[in-house]
Amino acid sequence: MLFTDLKNYIIAALNSNNKIKSDISFYNYFSEVLAVEVAHNEAFILLIALVPHVLPNFFDEIIKELHPEGGEFPELGGVRLENHRGMLPTGETAQYILAKENIAQRLKIQQYFEASHWFFKEQIITIDSVKEGEPLMSGRLILKSEIVHLLLYGEKLKPKFSPDFPAKEVSTQLEWQDLVVNTIIQNQIHQMRLWVKHHQTLRENWGMGKHLLPGYRALFYGPSGTGKTLTATLLGKEFQREVYRIDLSQVVSKYIGETEKNLEKIFTQAENKNWILIFDEADALFGKRTQTKSSNDRYANQEVSYLLQRVENFNGLIILTTNFKNNIDDAFLRRFNCLIGYSKPNAEDRLLLWQKIIPPNVTLEHDDIVQKIAKNYELTGAQIVSAMTYACLQAIEEQTSVFKSIFLLQGIEVEYQKEEKTFNHL
């Protein structure tokens, strides 16, 4: 019924010299599912962009009804693509139906597609790029796939891993008490939590916005398996924010300018979403600039300069992780809100990690084995998890709830072999 009413509304508008008042009841629905107040013209643009996803011949039937003997209707705009056989609406389509030849109204509609409008800020609807010299509004109206689903079914879809968004969501079932780090790191993480919790109040109510860059930038550095990614996922869990880890293999390109384009797609998609972005092994993107000895060096340095500017302008939380802080360009280091150095746990921390991970339904063969292995074997938190997993599997295979010490020692030995380290039995 909704699209039938829309069709009648469009035909009436095209047959009239004046804009028709609409009684189509979709404004409140759009406002509800998009969580923003949607005006008449904005809702109309969203609806005509949505129609082809449901009725592919919608606009062709309107043209046929208005021109039964055939003929062109260039004022209505529209384009045709290879796969879709029907007409797809463009910015010109919206302009003509809503404003006809009223120049002031047509210009007002064009402003809906500027970067300052919520259409762009929230990445709801955009206009396809056109060739140099062609009218901007001749680009087709593009609704992102997740927005199409949201408008049709009222439920949000999470972005899928793709060349346009080479990132995967990461999460955890652990809690803050499961993160074992020293007091200095705990205090630094607490400061990050305060920013996530209070940054809007800080910027708006306390007047600090004019003094601060948008967003928050953190560098986590240190050995693998020491809690860097876990910290990011715990932040997301506490504040109900989605956490996405960027696949740098899909971002970094050997072709000039492609890395910037790939990264821009990510930042544009993530803008104003309250997501947390993780760049693991960030050296590949944010490494130190080199002395300019060739054109390749010059372009590589341009990439770093672009990244520096883009990271500064991003209004969300970005976390870069690296094994070595010295690999990150100094220009980035100066602009981080916090730098947190993770280290391998000491004997006391290792004991705590072992105690936290022992399954509650098992009995240790030797009561003091955990104290001994914590003291004698230097492992990271991730390595302790792997060693315990190995030991659990051995116990399951033998159908015993008694944890033999040899199971744990064999698991530790496997971890040592991975790093080609000498393993000494107790």
Side-chain angles (χ1 to χ4, degrees):
M1 186 65 183
L2 175 63
F3 292 139
T4 301
D5 290 342
L6 176 65
K7 179 180 177 182
N8 294 333
Y9 167 67
I10 291 175
I11 291 174
L14 294 176
N15 280 327
S16 172
N17 291 326
N18 300 313
K19 186 170 72 173
I20 305 297
K21 294 294 183 182
S22 173
D23 58 356
I24 305 173
S25 57
F26 54 86
Y27 313 109
N28 292 337
Y29 172 71
F30 280 175
S31 297
E32 180 181 345
V33 298
L34 295 173
V36 65
E37 187 175 347
V38 183
H40 168 273
N41 286 358
E42 295 166 338
F44 177 82
I45 291 170
L46 290 171
L47 194 55
I48 65 171
L50 182 65
V51 170
H53 295 274
V54 181
L55 300 171
N57 62 334
F58 181 83
F59 289 101
D60 291 296
E61 286 188 353
I62 290 177
I63 295 173
K64 187 183 297 183
E65 186 165 338
L66 294 172
H67 295 280
E69 297 179 359
E72 297 290 329
F73 201 157
E75 304 97 321
L76 193 60
V79 295
R80 297 183 187 276
L81 302 181
E82 294 180 3
N83 295 329
H84 185 84
R85 303 296 295 275
M87 182 194 120
L88 293 171
T90 61
E92 292 172 343
T93 309
Q95 282 181 313
Y96 188 70
I97 296 172
L98 293 173
K100 288 290 189 62
E101 284 83 22
N102 187 318
I103 302 299
Q105 287 297 319
R106 292 177 73 91
L107 292 177
K108 182 177 180 180
I109 292 169
Q110 185 166 329
Q111 291 176 340
Y112 293 149
F113 300 96
E114 293 180 353
S116 57
H117 192 271
W118 62 267
F119 275 176
F120 181 84
K121 285 183 176 181
E122 303 296 330
Q123 289 296 290
I124 304 296
I125 184 171
T126 57
I127 282 192
D128 198 5
S129 58
V130 295
K131 293 181 179 179
E132 185 71 26
E134 292 184 356
L136 170 68
M137 297 297 280
S138 64
R140 65 187 173 95
L141 302 179
I142 301 176
L143 284 173
K144 292 187 176 295
S145 58
E146 59 265 29
I147 300 300
V148 171
H149 187 90
L150 176 62
L151 296 181
L152 289 177
Y153 301 103
E155 62 178 4
K156 291 185 178 181
L157 286 181
K158 294 183 178 180
K160 296 180 180 179
F161 183 89
S162 68
D164 288 335
F165 190 69
K168 295 181 180 179
E169 186 176 10
V170 291
S171 60
T172 183
Q173 296 182 33
L174 299 178
E175 305 294 339
W176 280 114
Q177 58 265 29
D178 296 309
L179 177 67
V180 178
V181 291
N182 62 47
T183 303
I184 295 176
I185 295 177
Q186 289 178 16
N187 292 336
Q188 291 175 305
I189 293 173
H190 179 67
Q191 194 64 27
M192 289 186 66
R193 295 165 72 183
L194 289 180
W195 181 88
V196 177
K197 186 176 181 180
H198 299 301
H199 72 279
Q200 287 187 330
T201 301
L202 177 69
R203 295 183 65 87
E204 298 170 9
N205 299 354
W206 286 58
M208 290 294 291
K210 59 186 177 182
H211 302 291
L212 302 173
L213 292 170
Y216 194 93
R217 292 148 295 280
L219 175 68
F220 296 171
Y221 63 92
S224 299
T226 51
K228 300 189 292 294
T229 301
L230 176 58
T231 301
T233 54
L234 287 171
L235 282 168
K237 184 176 183 178
E238 178 180 0
F239 297 102
Q240 298 181 332
R241 292 190 174 202
E242 295 169 31
V243 182
Y244 288 95
R245 180 162 50 199
I246 311 303
D247 185 350
L248 293 183
S249 67
Q250 300 292 318
V251 175
V252 179
S253 173
K254 64 181 179 180
Y255 298 106
I256 294 171
E258 285 301 309
T259 299
E260 293 99 315
K261 290 180 182 179
N262 295 337
L263 199 63
E264 184 62 31
K265 292 176 183 177
I266 296 171
F267 281 125
T268 300
Q269 179 93 324
E271 205 79 50
N272 301 303
K273 291 290 200 316
N274 280 331
W275 293 345
I276 297 175
L277 298 182
I278 305 175
F279 290 88
D280 264 344
E281 299 179 4
D283 320 46
L285 272 178
F286 303 89
K288 291 188 174 181
R289 281 173 278 198
T290 60
Q291 293 183 351
T292 304
K293 298 180 180 179
S294 67
S295 59
N296 288 336
D297 292 336
R298 184 169 65 254
Y299 286 120
N301 289 342
Q302 287 177 1
E303 281 186 357
V304 175
S305 298
Y306 159 78
L307 291 172
L308 181 62
Q309 181 180 8
R310 197 61 183 89
V311 166
E312 280 189 342
N313 293 332
F314 182 66
N315 61 11
L317 173 57
I318 295 179
I319 296 175
L320 276 62
T321 72
T322 179
N323 291 345
F324 304 101
K325 171 186 172 185
N326 291 338
N327 289 350
I328 302 298
D329 191 281
D330 292 339
F332 286 110
L333 294 178
R334 290 193 297 270
R335 288 166 172 81
F336 282 115
N337 297 86
C338 75
L339 291 83
I340 302 181
Y342 291 74
S343 58
K344 290 186 176 182
N346 57 28
E348 183 180 346
D349 290 337
R350 291 196 297 271
L351 177 59
L352 184 57
L353 286 166
W354 280 109
Q355 291 172 335
K356 284 178 176 292
I357 199 174
I358 295 175
N361 59 331
V362 303
T363 302
L364 295 175
E365 182 182 24
H366 300 104
D367 293 336
D368 62 346
I369 184 61
V370 174
Q371 287 80 3
K372 288 182 177 180
I373 61 178
K375 178 181 178 181
N376 289 278
Y377 299 110
E378 295 184 2
L379 297 172
T380 66
Q383 289 174 320
I384 290 173
V385 171
S386 293
M388 181 60 72
T389 302
Y390 178 96
C392 288
L393 290 174
Q394 306 310 309
I396 292 171
E397 176 65 16
E398 293 194 6
Q399 298 182 351
T400 177
S401 60
V402 177
F403 236 47
K404 296 181 180 179
S405 299
I406 189 62
F407 294 163
L408 291 170
L409 292 172
Q410 287 173 344
I412 295 171
E413 185 176 6
V414 169
E415 295 306 307
Y416 269 53
Q417 289 173 352
K418 291 177 184 178
E419 295 187 334
E420 299 182 352
K421 292 169 59 177
T422 301
F423 176 79
N424 296 313
H425 282 275
L426 291 175

